[in-house]
Every structure is written in C-alpha cells, then in structure tokens.
Amino acid sequence: MKFRTKVLILNLVLLSLTTGIVGFLMMQRSYRTGMDSEIRSAVAENNLVQSSVEYSLLDVLNTKPYDLAASLATIGESVYSSMLSGEEALLIRYKDEYVYLDNPEETTPSESIFQYAEDSRKNSLLQQEGDRLYLFVTSYTPLEGSTLHIITRRDVTIQHEMLSQSIRDYRQIILVLLAVATLLLLILSRLLTGPLERLSKTTEAFASGDYTARSPIRTSDEVGQLAKGFNSMADSVESHVDELNDMVHRREQFVADFTHEIKTPMTSIIGYADTMRSMDLSKEEQQQALGYIFSEGKRLESMSMKLFDLLYLKDHPIEHRSFSAATLAENVQTSMEPLLKSSGITLTLSADPVPLSGDPQLLQTVFINLIDNARKASKEGDTIEFSGHAESDSVYIFVVRDHGIGISEEDQKKIFDEFYMVDKSRTRAAGGAGLGMSLVSVILQRHDAALELESELGQGTTVTVRFPRPKEQEEE
C-alpha cells in the first residue's frame, strides 16, 4: 500500500471517529436536555393532577358512608376531562389495583415505577410500547392504611423520532463531509507525498546505475532537506564512482601497456636468440644480434626496476636525511654527463648550496629522469639548463629547461600516466618505457614537493620543482 493511501485512510478514519463521536455526544446531550424538560413538565403536571385528586378526595372522605374505589374513578374522570388533553392519560391505582383508566386499552406502566426512593414520593419511567415511547410519572400518597398512586402518562415519541431524524440527517451530512474531505485529503496527500515519490523514483534510477539522477528541491521543509541530503550523497557517490572507474581504467590500461612494452623487447630477444641458435652467422652478425639482445635486455631491466620502485614507493615510507641542494645537482650532472656527451648535448648547472631534507638518491632519480626526457626532446648541439635557488625561507626551486620539440597541451595532461610516451618511436629508440614521469610524480609526492610544467611546441619545455625547506632552516 502506498504511503499516500495510508495517509488518506488514516486521516479519514480519524475524521470519521472525531466527527461521529462529537456529533453523537452533541445529539445525545440535546436529546437528554429535551427529555429532562419533558420530565420536569410531566412532573409539574402530575403535581397539579395529584393536588386536584386529593382535594376532591377530601370531600368524599368527609361524607359517610362512601365507596372509595368508586369515588376515585369518578374523581379521575372529572380531573382527566378538565385538566388533561387527548395526548395525555391518567391512571389511578389503589391497593395495587387500577381503579381508573381513561381508556381501558391504554398501556399501564411497569411495576418498577412503584419502587420509590426512600426520600421521594415521585417517580418517572420511560417505556417503549411498539413504535411509541411513553413517559409515566407517578405520585405516592398513603390512604387508609394502603397506597394511592396517581399516574400521568405523556407520549414523548416525537422526541425520540427527532433524535432518530437528527441521526439520519447527521449521517447524510457526515457522508457528504467525508466525500469532500476525501477529495481534499487526496489532493493534500498528493502535494505532501509527491516530493517523496519523486525522491523514490530518483533513488531507483540511482540504484539502477544512473549516477547522474538528482531529486528536484522545491520546498525548504523536511522533505526538501531530505532531497538536498540525497543529492549531496549522490554527488559524493558519483564522484567516488568516477574515481573508481578511472582507477579501474588506469589499471586495465597499465596492464595492457605493461604487456605491450614487455612483448616488444621479448620478441626481439627471442627472435635474435633463435636466429643465433638455428643459423650459422658471421662474427659481425653475431655481434649485431648480441647487441640487440643486450640492449633489449637492458631496457627490460630498466623498466622492471622503475616499475618496482614505482610500486614500492606507493606503499612504503621514505627515509629523510639532510643533504645539500648543490651536491644533489652535481651528482645528477655527473650521472648524466656521459649520456649527454654521446648525444652531443650540453648541460649547464647552477645551484645554491642550501640544506634540504629527504632521500637524495630518490631525488637524484627525479632529476635524472627530467634531464633524460629533456635530452630525448633535444637535438645535437642543444643546451639543457639545470638550476636551483631558494625562492623563500620555506621553498627551494629546481628548474630543468630545454629548447627541444616541446609538449602539446593534450600530452601534458597524460604525461604522468604509466607507460605514456609523448613520442613513442623516439622514446623507445632511446631505451624508455614511459614509467619515468610516473616515478617522478610519486617521489615528489612523498617529499611534499610540487611540479609545474610549461611547454610550447617547437620552443622547448620548462619543469619547475618546488621543494619544501626544513623547518629548522626556516627558524634559522
């Protein structure tokens, strides 16, 4: 059952119970008020009749001899004709026998009416006879050792019928009221539960995989706050899902690229080894084949070592120790000098001797990779500039600048992805595997350093590394 239906039924039940109980109590109160008025009027009437009967009875008692029963019948006839209307009746009972009835076929009251309270000589009784309702009022008078009851009867059927008619009218009013209330409650429940239904449809769409689904916020009440909270949650979930999908894609791409990068040198190694095994080669051809096997094996070794460093650094802490920025730069220059010399490229060095903290060997790997990338982008006769200076008391800057082919904006966005190469043919020819910049990114992150890349096609590339200086140095 829908929540809207539950709200509608609950409100109708509460409305029906409330209006029914209130209406019933009001009609009962009105009925009792009317009946109390009838009883007071009937009692007053019975008092008058009793006074008349007793007054006439005094004349009889003063005359002897007398027949009391016959006299009471005569007195009753006289009083009835002079004081009561046709809708009322008079009954006189003496010695537990009715000595006068204005109509012998008239209904007599139940015997319970003659059971008086100790301090009362009046009693009343409502008695149903067929479709008529009668009100009996009786008085108690001691007479010659016996009891005289003077009973008046009034037809109050109209009062009862008025109650029944009021109940019937009230039922019809209630039905009309409930019909109108049902329509209004249906409209109101739609207005109240509409946002919840829209939110429910949004959650179903979201659960089925539509992470862009959002619930419209049209109110500022609790439902609007709920929709706002859901949208915030959906934004967070969508962001995490996008990150997970991107991570899965990157992993799949990593595996595919790694497989491809291993396949190329392995194919060369196996091919040249098979050639040497199955064919008679000259000394020169053997040396050439061995050279290919050696170079491809070294490329596999370099790729595996960089991959190992990359995976290791992502999950293990690094050891920090103090070192000089100038010493680090000189070590990098010494390591790169043979390779740059063979390529016909000049490296200029200028670094301020400022103490830094970190792992100097890992940082040396960073700048070796950056300078090696600059070498691959340069041509013979070009110059690569490697410099370092203190930008402020808290930051030291390393800059590697070349004047080579440059990097496009599209390539700049992907340069830190594993196995990504700006120029695959040039990189592979130089022994690269596309892991260098990924390793650079991880090492710098572990040192809380930031890398900035500025490049223009045909003009060259400038890589700036902002390295944090030790706090002790800042205080000094």
Side-chain angles (χ1 to χ4, degrees), residues 35-58:
M35 292 305 300
D36 290 342
S37 176
E38 288 287 341
I39 291 173
R40 287 193 296 271
S41 177
V43 169
E45 183 182 64
N46 185 271
N47 287 333
L48 291 175
V49 172
Q50 181 185 10
S51 298
S52 297
V53 171
E54 291 177 348
Y55 182 79
S56 299
L57 189 59
L58 289 175

Side-chain angles (χ1 to χ4, degrees), residues 112-171:
S112 62
I113 198 175
F114 304 113
Q115 298 175 3
Y116 298 91
E118 293 181 358
D119 57 347
S120 175
R121 291 193 174 188
K122 289 284 183 182
N123 208 353
S124 61
L125 173 69
L126 282 172
Q127 184 170 315
Q128 184 78 36
E129 292 293 335
D131 59 347
R132 312 301 296 177
L133 181 65
Y134 296 105
L135 172 62
F136 291 94
V137 179
T138 179
S139 62
Y140 164 77
T141 304
L143 181 59
E144 292 187 350
S146 187
T147 305
L148 172 64
H149 294 101
I150 299 172
I151 307 162
T152 56
R153 188 195 68 194
R154 177 175 292 190
D155 191 346
V156 293
T157 304
I158 188 171
Q159 294 289 341
H160 186 67
E161 289 179 348
M162 287 177 63
L163 174 64
S164 301
Q165 184 61 40
S166 297
I167 292 175
R168 287 192 294 270
D169 293 343
Y170 186 73
R171 285 175 179 170

Side-chain angles (χ1 to χ4, degrees), residues 366-474:
V366 168
F367 295 111
I368 287 175
N369 276 280
L370 293 178
I371 294 174
D372 191 44
N373 286 340
R375 177 187 67 85
K376 296 171 185 175
S378 302
K379 62 182 181 297
E380 185 177 355
D382 285 350
T383 300
I384 299 174
E385 302 168 10
F386 182 31
S387 62
H389 65 274
E391 183 182 49
S392 65
D393 292 339
S394 59
V395 177
Y396 190 90
I397 293 181
F398 288 101
V399 178
V400 176
R401 180 180 293 108
D402 68 70
H403 305 279
I405 61 175
I407 305 172
S408 67
E409 291 185 5
E410 182 180 355
D411 289 327
Q412 290 180 35
K413 299 177 182 178
K414 305 176 183 179
I415 196 170
F416 296 104
D417 294 347
E418 292 88 351
F419 298 106
Y420 185 79
M421 306 175 195
V422 176
D423 188 343
K424 291 181 172 56
S425 59
R426 180 190 293 264
T427 303
R428 286 201 180 98
L435 288 172
M437 292 304 292
S438 300
L439 184 59
V440 166
S441 176
V442 173
I443 294 174
L444 292 179
Q445 287 177 6
R446 302 308 297 270
H447 283 83
D448 296 325
L451 184 146
E452 298 176 2
L453 181 67
E454 297 180 7
S455 185
E456 186 177 351
L457 290 175
Q459 300 297 321
T461 302
T462 300
V463 179
T464 303
V465 176
R466 299 184 181 278
F467 198 91
R469 297 173 63 179
K471 292 184 179 180
E472 292 80 3
Q473 182 68 19
E474 293 178 19

Side-chain angles (χ1 to χ4, degrees), residues 47-97:
N47 287 333
L48 291 175
V49 172
Q50 181 185 10
S51 298
S52 297
V53 171
E54 291 177 348
Y55 182 79
S56 299
L57 189 59
L58 289 175
D59 294 336
V60 174
L61 294 176
N62 291 328
T63 304
K64 294 185 179 180
Y66 55 82
D67 185 353
L68 197 55
S71 299
L72 287 172
T74 301
I75 293 171
E77 179 66 28
S78 175
V79 171
Y80 174 75
S81 60
S82 62
M83 298 185 65
L84 300 177
S85 65
E87 296 180 356
E88 297 163 339
L90 175 62
L91 299 85
I92 300 176
R93 175 171 165 152
Y94 181 60
K95 294 182 178 181
D96 297 333
E97 293 183 1

